[in-house]
Amino acid sequence: MIKWRYCLKYALLGILTLSIVLTQSSLLLAQSTEKETHIQQAELLTQVGRKQLNQGQAAEALDSWQQATKIYHQIKDAEGVSGSLINQNFALQKLGLYSQACEKIVEALKLNNWNCNPTLLELTEYDKSQLIAAIHQLKLTPISLLGLQSMGQVLRLVGKLNESELILEETLLFAKETSSKEISDILLSLGNTKQSIYQRARDEYKWVEEPVFRETIVDLIPQKAQESLDTYKLLVDRKNSPQKIKLQAQLNRLNLLLDFDEWLTDKPKLVNTHTKVNQQIQPLVDIILQSSSVFYQLSPEESIQAQLKFAKSLSKTQNQSLQSIAIQYTTSALETAKNINNKLLKSQSLGALGKLNPDKSQTYFEEALSLAQSINNADVAYEWQQQLGNLFQKQGKHERAIQAYRAAIGSITQIRDHLLHSNLDAQFFFYEKVEPVYRNYMRLLIAEQYPNFERKVIKANQQLQLAQLEDYLKCGKLDLIALDRIENLASASAIIHIIDLDSTIQVFAQFPDSSIRHHSVESRLVKNHVNALLSILQNKSLVSSGEELIIPHSQALYKQLIEPFKKSLPSSGTLVFVLDKSFQSLPMSILHDGKDYLFQHYSSSETLGSRVRQPKALPQEHSNALIGGISTFAPSFYDPDATPGLQPLPDVEIEIAEVKKQTNSSVDLLNKEFNTKRLSQELSKRNFNILHITTHAQFSSIRRRTGFLTWNELVNISRFGTLLKRQARIHQDAIELLVLSACQTAKGNKMSALGIAGVAAQAGARSIIATLWLVDSKSSVFFMNEFYKNLKRGIPKAEALRLAQISLMAIPEYNNPYHWAPYLLVGSWL
């Protein structure tokens, strides 16, 4: 009986065990089946996303890949998550959201603390070592290699070119170690990054004015061009490179050769390089033509873009037969775009045909514009509006040209935010593409005496200069208001706009009663005097030069620019100048009427784009100043972006003490205490309305070289903006007055006020006072003491500055313009 019971017991246990095993197996099988289903769903979404991206549906592809990522997260498939995040990056790139694309790759590769935001700062050796160490910690898999290559590509698109180059070079080493099939893709990305570095240097060469910096750029351009050409050639010569990737490398190489060839044209020292480059162009064109079938092995979208790129390159040659071939390729691209019904690519193809067919260009441009507008694509529309404006202007159809340019300006305004946030090289875009639209528009308005042209020209110039400042800063939209909208405009006697339209200088004077007077003068009567005066003022020998060198030029400028309005001006008051181009480095106070300098009767300030922060008087009963300075050699003197050969400034401690006396409360930081970290801490702790800095500062058309020295570094305008914005978040009031008392303009730079206004804008300051050249320390101490005494008496900033200049001029040893002329007030004059 017991035995039977034991048998029954074990039998029941066996049945129970079997039941549990079967149940667990069924559960595991069900879980396995469910996981397989999820994997299949994710893979299907991945495939759908690829198809959508190939069809130009980037937003839809992004949505598909986001869903796939969620599924991979649910089933804890780390590799699937990484792959889907990298796919999302491709869609975001297509949408122009480059920073977001970069963030997806950082997440996919788990590169913690990596910053995807565009920056003007150069990559330091420490940054390089940290980046290389992070890359080498990654597990080498096909997905990590793809992620690294994608990161290199997207960093190029956000303008972090040095980081892009470094990552791609490291990725190439990894790929070679693993005999990866992706070597060709990586080489193509690396060649593109090196070409972008070349292109940035090439673009800087066009708009950077300082001779010393141009010489540095001249050395960099051939080096980077050759590196890119060599990388493309290495890819093409590889036996295993896919034909379609070879074609992309050949097209990029041809574009680079043509651009480099053009740049070398007027460089006699590089004549041998020019000859070698020129000799490579036709053979490469022949190779591409011989392998033309490869164009049709690409996806339709890729084929269209490749054909348009090839046609654009062919159109740059002087060979008429190649011009005909360019038309054939563009026509083929248009047919393909029609077949897949892609309106954007149809618009781009039609516009390209308009450029190649002068006789039919109007028809092509109008059709291209209509298509771009039908899909609300302002990025493309503005170009065809500009082309139509140029065309109508040549045909003498000025009314239609004005309408086209006005529409182009509207499109540019619409796309500016996107450009500023997605493209650090937008400054090139600005000078090459945007500026000519505004200036042609203003020329036509004046030439046609268009109804109410004075206000329209002033408004267009205001938009142009604000766009110029925003492009210079790469900061997005600035919180500034138009002068004609401020509450206390009557406090200014007149606003004088000086606009350079190449062959003519246009001067507009706005008065408190809203009336406007206009005067036009031939450029030749003005520009020679401006250039001569700038040369004298930027020369170190100015301190020993007599007024006889300055007055003939300043009198000539007064006669042409101010005298036509003299009868409408009161005998004294405040003049607000809105200055264009080279006039921005000219202290208007130095203009001479034959008896007196302008500042002896008028206080003045400058604005860019007729815009300022709301003018407001400095509240003396609450004047809190942060005062900083350096009086001895500091590590920052050797910063690579600082002016070479800097020497300690004398009398810094005296100036700080004098300024301190004239304010209600202050914090002063001297030498080692005046470091970037301490400056940031003080700005966070207290609400300062005056920031007075007595240290070397410099203004350049190169943003990273514009700023001031703390003990440890050159704080460029981007870094300074970051420091001051932090203060603005903590303390709501803006800095009322920023004073940089030991500044100098990079020699040859004609747009100093752009840098000065940039510093003020980044600081959120209502007014900034800076010097256009490094002044004598003793006269500076006297000037600043007088200026702050005047402020303490409640005198407006512009008038306080003028009175300080008059006091300085009254001292015999300081009556030379070298001492009193360099002080410039930008922003609010109250």
Side-chain angles (χ1 to χ4, degrees):
M1 186 71 178
I2 294 173
K3 185 178 181 182
W4 178 81
R5 284 178 180 171
Y6 275 112
C7 289
L8 181 60
K9 178 181 178 182
Y10 286 116
L12 289 169
L13 285 170
I15 292 168
L16 182 60
T17 302
L18 180 61
S19 173
I20 292 169
V21 170
L22 289 172
T23 302
Q24 288 178 338
S25 299
S26 299
L27 185 61
L28 289 170
L29 183 62
Q31 289 175 341
S32 176
T33 303
E34 187 179 354
K35 186 174 182 179
E36 283 295 322
T37 302
H38 282 314
I39 290 172
Q40 289 172 5
Q41 289 174 343
E43 288 177 348
L44 179 61
L45 284 165
T46 300
Q47 292 171 8
V48 168
R50 285 175 187 154
K51 184 176 180 181
Q52 289 168 328
L53 192 69
N54 288 335
Q55 292 175 345
Q57 300 171 331
E60 292 80 356
L62 178 62
D63 183 61
S64 297
W65 285 328
Q66 285 172 337
Q67 292 181 51
T69 307
K70 288 179 183 177
I71 293 172
Y72 282 125
H73 270 300
Q74 288 172 5
I75 60 177
K76 298 180 180 178
D77 184 336
E79 193 167 305
V81 169
S82 295
S84 287
L85 288 169
I86 292 170
N87 284 335
Q88 286 185 47
N89 135 76
F90 293 132
L92 289 164
Q93 285 188 42
K94 285 284 186 181
L95 292 168
L97 304 172
Y98 303 134
S99 292
Q100 291 181 37
C102 178
E103 287 164 6
K104 292 297 177 186
I105 302 173
V106 168
E107 185 181 350
L109 297 177
K110 298 181 175 61
L111 292 173
N112 299 329
N113 301 322
W114 178 256
N115 182 5
C116 287
N117 295 327
T119 177
L120 300 175
L121 301 177
E122 295 293 323
L123 196 65
T124 65
E125 290 302 318
Y126 175 78
D127 293 332
K128 289 179 184 178
S129 64
Q130 290 292 101
L131 184 54
I132 291 171
I135 293 170
H136 282 265
Q137 288 176 2
L138 294 174
K139 183 180 178 182
L140 283 184
T141 65
I143 284 182
S144 64
L145 278 175
L146 177 61
L148 285 170
Q149 183 205 334
S150 299
M151 189 168 188
Q153 179 175 310
V154 79
L155 286 173
R156 173 176 65 85
L157 295 171
V158 298
K160 300 181 93 161
L161 301 183
N162 292 335
E163 291 92 326
S164 172
E165 184 178 38
L166 179 62
I167 285 175
L168 290 169
E169 285 174 342
E170 291 297 314
T171 306
L172 185 61
L173 292 175
F174 282 163
K176 287 177 179 177
E177 287 176 13
T178 58
S179 302
S180 173
K181 296 178 182 178
E182 285 76 29
I183 288 177
S184 296
D185 289 311
I186 299 166
L187 279 170
L188 181 62
S189 293
L190 181 58
N192 292 345
T193 291
K194 289 182 181 294
Q195 182 168 357
S196 292
I197 294 173
Y198 153 82
Q199 195 64 56
R200 174 176 285 180
R202 169 90 154 83
D203 297 342
E204 278 191 350
Y205 181 79
K206 291 182 180 180
W207 52 262
V208 169
E209 297 179 326
E210 298 93 314
V212 64
F213 299 147
R214 281 173 69 91
E215 289 174 14
T216 304
I217 295 168
V218 166
D219 294 335
L220 181 65
I221 288 173
Q223 175 194 335
K224 287 304 174 183
Q226 195 57 54
E227 285 181 15
S228 182
L229 291 169
D230 290 345
T231 305
Y232 289 137
K233 189 173 187 304
L234 183 62
L235 189 163
V236 172
D237 291 345
R238 287 187 78 246
K239 293 180 181 179
N240 297 331
S241 294
Q243 285 299 315
K244 68 176 188 178
I245 293 182
K246 280 188 178 182
L247 176 63
Q248 291 178 59
Q250 288 167 334
L251 292 173
N252 292 350
R253 191 165 185 267
L254 177 60
N255 177 61
L256 176 53
L257 283 169
L258 287 163
D259 191 84
F260 192 29
D261 180 69
E262 179 191 4
W263 182 79
L264 289 165
T265 301
D266 59 350
K267 309 293 182 300
K269 292 182 180 179
L270 296 171
V271 65
N272 292 335
T273 304
H274 189 197
T275 301
K276 290 177 183 176
V277 168
N278 190 268
Q279 289 172 347
Q280 296 176 61
I281 294 172
Q282 187 60 50
L284 182 53
V285 169
D286 294 337
I287 290 170
I288 296 172
L289 288 171
Q290 289 165 13
S291 56
S292 59
S293 60
V294 181
F295 282 98
Y296 306 101
Q297 296 173 21
L298 305 172
S299 70
E301 288 78 9
E302 289 175 331
S303 177
I304 294 166
Q305 290 165 350
Q307 289 183 79
L308 291 178
K309 181 180 281 190
F310 187 39
K312 185 177 180 180
S313 292
L314 294 177
S315 69
K316 294 178 182 177
T317 68
Q318 301 302 314
N319 189 319
Q320 286 302 313
S321 63
L322 292 182
Q323 299 285 326
S324 300
I325 294 172
I327 292 173
Q328 293 172 22
Y329 273 86
T330 308
T331 304
S332 172
L334 177 60
E335 291 304 313
T336 306
K338 287 179 178 177
N339 290 337
I340 62 173
N341 195 29
N342 187 311
K343 290 184 178 180
L344 175 59
L345 293 176
K346 277 197 283 186
S347 175
Q348 291 173 334
S349 301
L350 284 162
L353 280 172
K355 293 177 182 178
L356 291 165
N357 290 275
D359 295 339
K360 301 179 182 178
S361 56
Q362 181 177 335
T363 302
Y364 284 127
F365 289 144
E366 287 177 341
E367 191 175 347
L369 175 59
S370 178
L371 282 166
Q373 290 174 326
S374 73
I375 55 175
N376 296 316
N377 193 311
D379 298 60
V380 176
Y382 96 87
E383 186 173 358
W384 310 141
Q385 289 160 336
Q386 179 184 14
Q387 291 290 344
L388 284 167
N390 296 344
L391 182 64
F392 291 140
Q393 187 172 9
K394 287 178 184 176
Q395 294 173 346
K397 300 175 181 177
H398 292 163
E399 176 70 32
R400 297 192 67 181
I402 288 171
Q403 292 172 0
Y405 286 134
R406 187 188 301 129
I409 289 171
S411 295
I412 288 166
T413 303
Q414 185 179 335
I415 64 177
R416 280 188 50 70
D417 273 342
H418 168 70
L419 279 165
L420 289 168
H421 285 105
S422 67
N423 181 12
L424 264 183
D425 290 327
Q427 191 161 0
F428 168 67
F429 171 88
F430 173 82
Y431 286 112
E432 287 289 300
K433 305 289 186 181
V434 174
E435 187 175 12
V437 177
Y438 285 95
R439 295 203 185 278
N440 284 341
Y441 176 59
M442 288 189 282
R443 286 187 191 100
L444 284 173
L445 288 173
I446 294 167
E448 292 298 299
Q449 295 289 290
Y450 204 76
N452 205 20
F453 78 91
E454 297 94 344
R455 297 191 191 280
K456 285 181 168 54
V457 171
I458 288 172
K459 182 179 179 181
N461 185 55
Q462 167 186 306
Q463 292 174 317
L464 169 63
Q465 292 204 10
L466 186 63
Q468 181 186 34
L469 181 58
E470 289 171 345
D471 275 320
Y472 177 77
L473 294 173
K474 298 293 172 289
C475 62
K477 294 293 184 182
L478 290 170
D479 181 24
L480 303 175
I481 61 171
L483 283 176
D484 55 9
R485 289 175 53 202
I486 67 175
E487 298 168 4
N488 37 18
L489 186 58
S491 59
S493 303
I495 303 169
I496 299 176
H497 307 256
I498 301 178
I499 305 172
D500 185 347
L501 295 181
D502 296 329
S503 61
T504 62
I505 304 298
Q506 304 293 330
V507 190
F508 295 84
Q510 283 180 286
F511 296 97
D513 63 0
S514 297
S515 64
I516 299 176
R517 292 196 59 196
H518 168 237
H519 170 65
S520 179
V521 58
E522 291 182 39
S523 290
R524 62 182 179 82
L525 300 176
V526 173
K527 284 190 175 179
N528 287 340
H529 295 294
V530 170
N531 293 334
L533 197 50
L534 283 173
S535 179
I536 294 167
L537 295 176
Q538 291 185 348
N539 195 312
K540 291 181 179 179
S541 64
L542 173 62
V543 66
S544 58
S545 300
E547 286 184 309
E548 64 274 6
L549 292 177
I550 292 172
I551 287 180
H553 302 296
S554 59
Q555 275 188 292
L557 291 174
Y558 180 91
K559 180 180 179 181
Q560 298 297 337
L561 302 176
I562 306 298
E563 194 172 90
F565 307 114
K566 188 173 182 179
K567 291 181 181 178
S568 302
L569 289 172
S571 58
S572 63
T574 300
L575 302 180
V576 179
F577 288 95
V578 182
L579 302 177
D580 193 5
K581 290 188 175 181
S582 57
F583 295 98
Q584 293 173 1
S585 282
L586 193 66
M588 301 306 286
S589 60
I590 209 168
L591 299 191
H592 200 281
D593 65 4
K595 181 182 177 183
D596 295 318
Y597 288 103
L598 191 68
F599 85 96
Q600 291 177 272
H601 298 281
Y602 299 96
S603 61
S604 64
S605 77
E606 289 187 19
T607 74
L608 265 83
S610 307
R611 286 182 173 245
V612 293
R613 299 188 188 280
Q614 177 65 47
K616 182 180 174 184
L618 187 68
Q620 283 308 306
E621 66 276 12
H622 302 297
S623 62
N624 303 314
L626 176 57
I627 310 167
I630 299 174
S631 63
T632 185
F633 276 106
S636 60
F637 285 21
Y638 308 101
D639 188 294
D641 285 327
T643 303
L646 291 176
Q647 297 293 318
L649 296 169
D651 300 316
V652 168
E653 295 177 40
I654 298 173
E655 181 173 318
I656 289 176
E658 291 296 327
V659 173
K660 193 172 181 179
K661 284 181 191 174
Q662 305 299 339
T663 56
N664 290 349
S665 65
S666 64
V667 172
D668 56 293
L669 306 173
L670 180 65
N671 295 333
K672 290 183 180 179
E673 290 296 307
F674 185 55
N675 59 69
T676 308
K677 183 178 179 181
R678 180 72 187 278
L679 176 62
S680 177
Q681 289 172 345
E682 292 297 337
L683 288 169
S684 299
K685 283 194 296 188
R686 296 183 58 182
N687 188 16
F688 297 101
N689 50 23
I690 297 176
L691 181 54
H692 184 104
I693 296 174
T694 308
T695 177
H696 286 288
Q698 58 193 47
F699 301 110
S700 168
S701 50
I702 301 175
R703 296 181 300 277
R704 69 176 185 274
R705 295 181 185 271
T706 293
F708 62 90
L709 298 183
T710 60
W711 179 259
N712 56 306
E713 65 179 326
L714 169 69
V715 177
N716 67 34
I717 54 176
S718 293
R719 183 73 184 278
F720 190 44
T722 303
L723 296 178
L724 270 296
K725 283 171 186 172
R726 189 178 303 144
Q727 190 220 22
R729 285 195 295 269
I730 299 168
H731 313 291
Q732 294 184 355
D733 292 338
I735 288 179
E736 296 295 333
L737 176 63
L738 170 63
V739 179
L740 299 174
S741 74
C743 315
Q744 57 186 318
T745 299
K747 191 167 183 179
N749 178 25
K750 295 178 182 177
M751 296 188 295
S752 304
L754 183 65
I756 297 171
V759 171
Q762 289 293 68
R766 269 184 231 286
S767 310
I768 180 172
I769 290 178
T771 60
L772 291 171
W773 55 84
L774 197 58
V775 295
D776 172 79
S777 60
K778 287 186 171 25
S779 68
S780 177
V781 168
F782 179 87
F783 173 88
M784 288 299 168
N785 190 35
E786 289 296 308
F787 171 69
Y788 279 102
K789 277 183 183 177
N790 293 331
L791 283 183
K792 201 169 185 178
R793 289 161 50 201
I795 297 173
K797 302 178 193 106
E799 180 64 7
L801 186 144
R802 185 184 82 86
L803 292 174
Q805 286 177 302
I806 287 177
S807 297
L808 196 61
M809 189 184 190
I811 300 173
E813 61 186 297
Y814 297 145
N815 66 3
N816 187 304
Y818 163 79
H819 294 285
W820 55 257
Y823 296 98
L824 196 66
L825 171 65
V826 176
S828 169
W829 54 92
L830 289 181

